[in-house]
């Protein structure tokens, strides 16, 4: 029965998790197992294999090195995922992705200093689909590389258009998010960035690539090399979600980083939670000491904006100032800049 299968699976995963020596090197193996039980004599072997495969996928999605027992609801989830993946592939071909822009403001002056480019899927039947609903599938399937390139080129083109339209103002920077899958293919990513800059004529110093803290620290030595290539191009680097994971400060010193982004989860607690306030203050101070900009995200209240300004945080973004806007809406916003509220 199920308990027998689970007992065996647990024994296998625990046994294989122990390191072993291969040619004088210590090697580790993670094992994921999918379990399916026959429920009737009419069930075909191929059905059992398919169900076990669905359970295996669930085990891997749960963090690997574990097992999962097949549940009929898994089939529904797997079918929905397959449909989403098929829709996603078609969406790229049909040009259903749009780029929206959220302003980043100088907290000391209220002037717009730049924008963050955020992808939106405008599904013709289901309407706008939020990134959280499709980015993980795009990442798993590798489609994120194509989507990321579309966003990169459109964002660079828009930034160049804004700079030409407002030549008297300080050049607006454009921040574009980079996924883990893109970072794993540095040659492709560098080629895409170079091509986008050359195609649009945008100065490399006006482009900022945003990478999460966990991505950087996942393979720090690799990240040092990759980010060094972007530094040579003159492209800026921002670290997103800073403080939410484990940061090796020795590596942070080696990364050619221009900005640290204070995560929304800490900004939410500003002035209410002493620990959150202390973390925000520490990140801002660290950024200043290392010659980087501090950027707070997820600002939603006057109090948060004022506290961040008092702490010396240079830039901020969030719904308090503006939600992500279409290119036309954002264009109308630039000449007005911003006046401090409250």
């Amino acid at each position: 029965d199920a308990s027998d299968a689970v007992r065996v699976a647990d024994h296998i995963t625990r046994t294989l998790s122990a390191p072993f020596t291969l040619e004088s090197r210590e090697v580790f193996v993670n094992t994921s197992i999918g379990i399916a039980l026959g429920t009737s004599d009419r069930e075909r072997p191929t059905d059992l294999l398919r169900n076990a495969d669905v359970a295996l996928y669930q085990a891997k999605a749960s963090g690997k090195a574990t097992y999962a027992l097949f549940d009929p609801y898994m089939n529904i989830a797997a079918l929905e995922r397959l449909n989403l993946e098929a829709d996603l592939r078609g969406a790229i071909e049909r040009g259903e992705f749009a780029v929206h822009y959220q302003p980043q403001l100088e907290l000391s002056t209220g002037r717009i200093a730049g924008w963050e480019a955020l992808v939106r899927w405008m599904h013709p039947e289901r309407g706008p689909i939020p990134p959280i609903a499709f980015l993980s599938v795009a990442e798993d399937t590798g489609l994120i590389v194509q989507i990321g390139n579309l966003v990169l080129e459109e964002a660079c083109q828009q930034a160049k258009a804004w700079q030409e339209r407002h030549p008297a103002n300080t050049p607006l920077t454009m921040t574009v998010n980079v996924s883990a899958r893109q970072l794993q293919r540095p040659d492709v990513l560098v080629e895409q960035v170079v091509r986008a800059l050359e195609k649009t004529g945008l100065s490399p110093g006006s482009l900022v690539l945003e990478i999460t803290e966990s991505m950087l620290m996942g393979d720090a030595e690799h990240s040092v090399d990759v980010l060094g290539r972007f530094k040579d191009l003159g492209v800026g680097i921002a670290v997103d979600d800073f403080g939410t994971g484990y940061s090796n400060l020795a590596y942070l010193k080696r990364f050619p980083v221009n900005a640290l982004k204070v995560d929304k989860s800490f900004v939410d607690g500003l002035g209410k939670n002493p620990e959150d306030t202390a973390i925000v203050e520490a990140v801002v101070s660290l950024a200043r000491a290392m010659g980087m900009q501090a950027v707070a995200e997820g600002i939603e209240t006057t109090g948060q904006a004022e506290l961040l300004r008092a702490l010396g945080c240079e830039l901020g973004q969030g719904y308090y100032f503006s939600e992500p806007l279409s290119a036309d809406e954002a264009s109308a916003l630039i000449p007005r800049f911003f006046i401090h509220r409250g």
Side-chain angles (χ1 to χ4, degrees):
D1 61 14
S3 62
D4 293 323
V6 166
R7 188 164 54 251
V8 173
D10 182 59
H11 179 63
I12 292 172
T13 54
R14 283 190 292 105
T15 301
L16 289 180
S17 66
F20 60 93
T21 302
L22 181 64
E23 294 184 355
S24 302
R25 291 189 177 184
E26 198 170 47
V27 179
F28 297 83
V29 172
N30 286 331
T31 308
S32 300
I33 298 175
I35 302 169
L37 301 175
T39 56
S40 72
D41 294 337
R42 295 187 300 275
E43 206 159 25
R44 297 173 299 174
T46 51
D47 293 333
L48 275 174
L49 288 171
R50 183 199 62 221
N51 293 345
D53 196 44
V54 170
L56 174 61
Y57 179 84
Q58 183 63 42
K60 290 180 177 180
S62 300
K64 300 182 179 180
T66 187
Y67 54 84
L69 189 63
F70 176 77
D71 183 292
Y73 287 108
M74 289 181 182
N75 260 340
I76 299 174
L79 184 59
E80 289 178 349
R81 182 185 171 87
L82 285 173
N83 290 337
L84 181 62
E85 182 181 334
D87 264 2
L88 204 54
R89 293 183 186 277
I92 296 174
E93 299 170 2
R94 293 187 295 268
E96 294 174 3
F97 290 101
V99 181
H100 284 200
Y101 303 92
Q102 187 171 43
Q104 296 179 334
L105 280 76
E106 293 178 354
L107 293 178
S108 60
T109 66
R111 292 166 60 93
I112 297 176
W115 301 85
E116 180 177 359
L118 300 164
V119 66
R120 296 291 185 265
W121 181 5
M122 314 307 287
H123 197 285
E125 297 172 359
R126 298 164 59 185
I129 299 178
I132 194 171
F134 67 85
L135 284 184
S136 62
V137 176
E139 186 88 17
D140 291 344
T141 58
L143 294 172
I144 194 66
V145 176
Q146 293 172 263
I147 296 172
N149 189 47
L150 290 172
V151 173
L152 175 66
E153 289 196 358
E154 187 168 333
C156 287
Q157 184 175 359
Q158 187 60 66
K160 181 63 176 177
W162 280 333
Q163 289 180 0
E164 291 178 345
R165 199 174 306 164
H166 306 280
N169 300 325
T170 303
L172 299 171
T173 60
M174 180 61 70
T175 298
V176 178
N177 291 277
V178 172
S179 73
R181 180 65 71 97
Q182 288 173 286
L183 200 64
Q184 289 168 358
R185 302 175 63 184
D187 292 337
V188 173
L189 182 58
V190 170
E191 181 183 335
Q192 289 177 340
V193 169
V194 170
R195 185 169 59 245
L197 292 173
E198 290 179 346
K199 182 177 178 180
T200 62
L202 183 69
S203 165
S206 297
L207 177 63
V208 178
L209 299 180
E210 188 171 300
I211 300 169
T212 64
E213 178 189 37
S214 58
M215 284 163 51
L216 283 182
M217 296 304 172
D219 188 346
E221 285 294 342
H222 171 74
S223 297
V224 169
D225 293 338
V226 175
L227 298 194
R229 296 170 68 175
F230 289 115
K231 180 183 179 182
D232 292 340
L233 289 174
V235 173
I237 298 293
V239 179
D240 194 17
D241 300 339
F242 190 79
T244 59
Y246 169 72
S247 292
N248 185 322
L249 295 184
Y251 271 113
L252 183 63
K253 183 176 66 175
R254 293 176 57 191
F255 293 140
V257 172
N258 303 89
L260 297 181
K261 296 194 74 173
V262 183
D263 189 70
K264 181 184 184 302
S265 61
F266 302 130
V267 173
D268 285 344
L270 264 178
K272 297 181 294 185
N273 186 310
E275 289 81 6
D276 287 339
T277 303
I279 289 172
V280 173
E281 186 174 4
V283 173
V284 172
S285 298
L286 177 64
R288 187 186 303 115
M290 300 188 72
M292 306 171 186
Q293 279 189 318
V295 185
E297 59 183 1
I299 301 173
E300 296 182 351
T301 68
T302 301
Q304 291 170 351
E306 290 178 347
L307 277 171
L308 287 162
R309 193 181 309 126
L311 290 173
C313 185
E314 288 97 334
L315 302 179
Q317 65 185 93
Y319 277 64
Y320 172 69
F321 302 113
S322 173
E323 63 183 335
L325 304 169
S326 68
D328 289 341
E329 293 169 327
S331 296
L333 198 65
I334 293 176
R336 293 160 36 197
F337 293 100
F338 272 89
I339 298 174
H340 290 315
R341 303 182 186 181

